[in-house]
Amino acid sequence: MFDKDFKITGRHANYWKDLCELAGNVPDREAHNNFKIFSAYIDAYVLCPLIGYQYNRKGVLDTSEDGNAGMLAEVFGKRRAELKYVYQILMLIDEESEPDEDKRLFRAFKFSEETEDDKKLIEANMKVFNAYFLGGLEVLHEQFVEQCHDEDDYLKAMNDFVKHFSDEQDGEAIKAGIDKILNN
């Protein structure tokens, strides 16, 4: 897990590029200012799955050859602990892909591919993770690329996004949910 090169194509690849600052990734000033909100692809790959989940948005990979983006396996090495943590959170809370709480707990902490069944489980879990990643890319692209035409738009969108995310967090509900899981 998180030890192989990762590549996507199509519109999601272009969304990923639009949201990240990269050498040679110059924004198209004619179309829009294309404000970059991530300094690297890996930053987006760590955060977008959580945004996809928060907005109940899973993306389906566009397999067209209209664009491509990716990361080498070495990039994951430096951020593997963060990626595993995000992966575990998603596997624990995503009731849509696995309604059974015990199975969600098991899948969140199963990392080794000792058997063929283990390998299939991790592949299925990574499909869920990556679907939320694509969904998060879609959400951020809509809010920060498609709707931002100048610095004022960008600042307003950023403020609205952070406020919305903050308003959605209910500290007591989160604590109660964690307590419920720990006390079972």
Side-chain angles (χ1 to χ4, degrees):
M1 173 185 333
F2 306 116
D3 57 357
K4 297 177 184 132
D5 293 353
F6 179 75
K7 180 183 174 188
I8 59 173
T9 60
R11 68 184 168 98
H12 290 100
N14 292 324
Y15 290 176
W16 204 3
K17 289 178 187 178
D18 285 345
L19 293 166
C20 297
E21 294 176 5
L22 299 169
N25 190 7
V26 179
D28 179 3
R29 298 288 181 200
E30 298 290 322
H32 48 70
N33 281 335
N34 196 12
F35 296 95
K36 309 294 184 181
I37 59 175
F38 297 108
S39 60
Y41 282 170
I42 188 68
D43 298 328
Y45 195 67
V46 169
L47 187 60
C48 284
L50 295 172
I51 292 170
Y53 179 81
Q54 184 72 21
Y55 282 79
N56 195 28
R57 185 90 160 261
K58 288 182 183 176
V60 176
L61 186 61
D62 172 10
T63 57
S64 70
E65 294 297 321
D66 293 339
N68 65 65
M71 294 181 295
L72 297 174
E74 298 119 37
V75 175
F76 291 123
K78 296 174 185 167
R79 305 283 293 273
R80 187 167 284 118
E82 288 173 84
L83 287 165
K84 281 186 172 182
Y85 182 70
V86 171
Y87 169 90
Q88 288 175 312
I89 289 171
L90 285 176
M91 295 306 108
L92 286 169
I93 63 177
D94 181 37
E95 294 178 16
E96 181 183 324
S97 64
E98 180 52 70
D100 184 272
E101 187 175 316
D102 290 335
K103 289 180 182 176
R104 286 197 317 272
L105 247 158
F106 177 78
R107 75 179 182 169
F109 295 97
K110 183 65 178 168
F111 298 121
S112 65
E113 297 180 10
E114 297 165 2
T115 68
E116 192 61 33
D117 287 343
D118 293 344
K119 186 176 179 180
K120 287 178 184 177
L121 174 67
I122 291 171
E123 285 175 5
N125 293 344
M126 286 305 298
K127 284 182 182 179
V128 171
F129 182 93
N130 286 324
Y132 280 121
F133 164 67
L134 298 175
L137 283 177
E138 292 170 0
V139 168
L140 293 177
H141 193 270
E142 289 165 5
Q143 293 187 14
F144 292 100
V145 176
E146 295 171 17
Q147 296 180 17
C148 294
H149 303 288
D150 59 26
E151 193 171 308
D152 289 339
D153 291 344
Y154 174 75
L155 293 172
K156 182 180 181 330
M158 183 61 74
N159 183 58
D160 292 347
F161 184 81
V162 171
K163 183 175 181 347
H164 172 77
F165 198 80
S166 177
D167 290 347
E168 294 243 334
Q169 304 309 309
D170 179 355
E172 291 304 314
I174 292 171
K175 184 180 181 313
I178 290 170
D179 288 343
K180 179 184 171 193
I181 290 172
L182 293 176
N183 293 326
N184 279 339

